[in-house]
Amino acid sequence: MDRSALVPVMAVAIVNGIFSPWVLMVFLLYPIWYPGWAPPLSQIVYMASALILSTMTIMLAGVPAALYERWSAQPRSIVVSSIWLAGTVLLTLPALPNMMRALSGG
């Protein structure tokens, strides 16, 4: 698959990582995953939480695309990319209210 096709997937996943309601849960569980040698500053922990959630979004959204690629006789790159993007958008839907609140300034 062409790397340029992953740019929209990564952009949507980053939005999900920053605005998802699940980022609070990952943030609160930082004693489990955050390394003890790193300074536990809230800004660093939040950004690491958003990065973890973004990565999880990409991984979960890639499962249907990988299944299509595996089971299809002749998988097409554009279809794989579209499935991956659609999965990422679906996983990002719960983040839309928080994103809209942030964009409206309220």
Side-chain angles (χ1 to χ4, degrees):
M1 180 166 46
D2 184 24
R3 285 187 178 173
S4 64
L6 290 178
V7 172
V9 171
M10 289 190 291
V12 173
I14 289 170
V15 168
N16 187 41
I18 294 171
F19 294 108
S20 175
W22 288 99
V23 76
L24 178 62
M25 185 62 70
V26 177
F27 180 82
L28 292 176
L29 292 174
Y30 87 91
I32 295 171
W33 58 265
Y34 197 70
W37 51 264
L41 300 172
S42 61
Q43 296 91 346
I44 296 172
V45 175
Y46 177 78
M47 289 309 295
S49 300
L51 183 61
I52 288 172
L53 202 56
S54 298
T55 305
M56 291 287 292
T57 302
I58 291 172
M59 290 169 56
L60 288 174
V63 170
L67 290 174
Y68 164 78
E69 201 168 25
R70 173 79 173 156
W71 292 336
S72 177
Q74 293 180 345
R76 295 180 42 198
S77 179
I78 189 70
V79 175
V80 174
S81 301
S82 300
I83 292 171
W84 207 339
L85 181 60
T88 307
V89 168
L90 283 174
L91 289 172
T92 305
L93 288 178
L96 285 180
N98 292 339
M99 187 177 64
M100 296 308 287
R101 250 181 276 143
L103 291 175
S104 69

